[in-house]
Amino acid sequence: MTPTAPRDVAVVGFAHARHTESTFGTTNGVEMLAPVFAECYRQTGLDRTDIEFWCSGSSDYLAGRAFSFISAVDTIGAVPPISESHVEMDAAWAFFEAYLKIASGQADTALVYGFGKASASTDLDSALALQLDPYTVAPLWPGRHHMAALQARAGIDAGCWSEAEMASVAARATGRDERDLLVEPYTADPLRRHDCPPVTDGAGAIILASGKRARELVDTPAYVTGIEHIADSAEFGARDLTDSPSARAAAVRATRSSGPRPDLGGVTVAELHTQYTHQELLLRRALGIDDSVAVTPSGGSLVADPLFSAGLERIGYAAHSIWEGRAERALAHATSGHLLQQNLICLLEGRPA
């Protein structure tokens, strides 16, 4: 039997909650998600009964209770019954699952959402340390900024980037003067406050549709032309912290490149999920992104870092650049785990009607 080619899949709707240091809502995300869903319905003309598959990304560890994602389903409603799935990581990976669902012909529409209330955690470092090796690293309970400082220092010592270059990334994202940033005290040497992500509560959602359905819903669908995710070793001593071979390999596959490096021809916007300034510099080197590409014009995680939806937002903002006509081809990147351990690359493009 000849295998059937995957169907076209496109992003047709995107919204996120207002980024805030703290929200009054509960850790199940319902209060944040309800208006986000409503905005996605408004953009596409769909309602909840038109969605054939739902997939979410969140963390029970962050919420502090088991099966917290089930409570979030209250945002959808119990009747009629739905087809639903969940990933215990950033919702960009829920996006990947929904993409496969539509590409394989099992659904025509899907709504993907992610949420996290980081402000509710009394010890965010300890919650995030649970992602680390349970035998050799997690028992040490290292802070997230201190872990990132090891990577930043390794890159500085290797001549891959400098503190001034890191400050330049922050200045572009925040609009502050680079000279002012370089005189701030260290948070975790060599990281200063502007090099690190802020604690952010947030939620985001994306609606996906099959090619034919997408053209019925919006004027300019953002078609997914390539998507892949690959993980590096979770053992930090087993990899070079100044490089990201998994991100590069994922980009090679997503762009269907023939060589060892991704062909980013035509990409004019790259939304990178980089929580620390040096990680943008690292990914630009790994992916071969030059100055002709607008990197994370949304500001990214240096401005707001809603855990478990920040990666999904990068895909949404990349799609938004296509809808607005600022790009014909855009790249989105999402990461999960510490120090760019897992990486997802999604390539989007607009097509004339």
Side-chain angles (χ1 to χ4, degrees):
M1 179 181 294
T2 303
T4 303
R7 300 193 302 168
D8 281 345
V9 181
V11 177
V12 295
F14 163 60
H16 66 74
R18 183 175 66 89
H19 296 140
T20 177
E21 291 183 1
S22 179
T23 178
F24 71 90
T26 58
T27 58
N28 64 23
V30 171
E31 295 90 346
M32 291 188 288
L33 287 168
V36 172
F37 286 5
E39 174 59 19
C40 284
Y41 299 151
R42 186 198 66 78
Q43 292 173 10
T44 59
L46 299 172
D47 64 36
R48 57 178 294 276
T49 61
D50 296 314
I51 305 299
E52 298 177 13
F53 179 65
W54 303 77
C55 198
S56 61
S58 64
S59 172
D60 288 344
Y61 292 96
L62 185 66
R65 56 180 173 170
F67 296 103
S68 63
F69 72 93
I70 295 296
S71 298
V73 177
D74 288 346
T75 317
I76 303 169
V79 179
I82 62 170
S83 173
E84 186 267 345
S85 186
H86 174 262
V87 299
E88 183 78 10
M89 57 199 311
D90 192 284
W93 274 260
F95 178 97
F96 194 103
E97 183 174 341
Y99 164 83
L100 293 174
K101 196 84 168 181
I102 296 175
S104 60
Q106 299 178 64
D108 277 319
T109 56
L111 191 150
V112 178
Y113 62 98
F115 62 93
K117 184 175 168 62
S119 67
S121 176
T122 57
D123 188 349
L124 189 56
D125 281 338
S126 294
L128 295 178
L130 293 171
Q131 301 174 97
L132 301 168
D133 183 285
Y135 299 104
T136 62
V137 185
L140 301 174
W141 303 110
R144 64 196 188 282
H145 297 334
H146 294 91
M147 292 291 297
L150 295 176
Q151 184 180 50
R153 174 57 62 192
I156 290 172
D157 290 349
C160 298
W161 52 75
S162 66
E163 290 186 38
E165 289 173 312
M166 291 159 56
S168 179
V169 170
R172 191 195 72 240
T174 63
R176 296 182 59 191
D177 191 295
E178 181 180 333
R179 294 167 296 182
D180 294 337
L181 298 177
L182 284 170
V183 298
E184 289 186 349
Y186 289 114
T187 298
D189 190 354
L191 300 178
R192 297 175 170 88
R193 185 175 61 179
H194 61 263
D195 293 307
C196 306
V199 173
T200 311
D201 291 352
I206 280 177
I207 292 182
L208 291 162
S210 61
K212 180 181 179 181
R213 192 79 174 93
R215 290 186 292 274
E216 296 171 350
L217 295 171
V218 294
D219 294 332
T220 311
Y223 291 92
V224 179
T225 58
I227 186 168
E228 182 61 278
H229 69 96
I230 298 177
D232 286 319
S233 173
E235 192 62 51
F236 301 124
R239 58 187 175 107
D240 178 2
L241 295 182
T242 68
D243 193 15
S244 182
S246 63
R248 183 164 50 248
V252 166
R253 294 187 186 181
T255 58
R256 297 179 175 84
S257 304
S258 57
R261 301 189 68 83
D263 179 5
L264 301 184
V267 170
T268 53
V269 171
E271 281 282 341
L272 304 181
H273 182 195
T274 49
Q275 295 174 301
Y276 297 89
T277 53
H278 68 273
Q279 291 179 347
E280 179 185 306
L281 300 169
L282 187 159
L283 277 183
R284 291 179 69 126
R285 288 165 54 96
L287 301 180
I289 296 174
D290 60 29
D291 292 338
S292 67
V293 178
V295 177
T296 321
S298 65
S301 286
L302 292 175
V303 175
D305 187 42
L307 295 180
F308 304 100
S309 63
L312 183 70
E313 287 189 14
R314 305 285 70 75
I315 300 174
Y317 274 109
H320 205 265
S321 70
I322 291 172
W323 299 336
E324 290 190 333
R326 292 185 287 109
E328 294 182 359
R329 200 167 189 237
L331 178 147
H333 160 267
T335 189
S336 190
H338 284 70
L339 309 187
L340 301 173
Q341 191 246 329
Q342 303 177 56
N343 293 281
L344 181 149
I345 299 290
C346 179
L347 202 65
L348 300 166
E349 69 176 35
R351 297 175 187 167

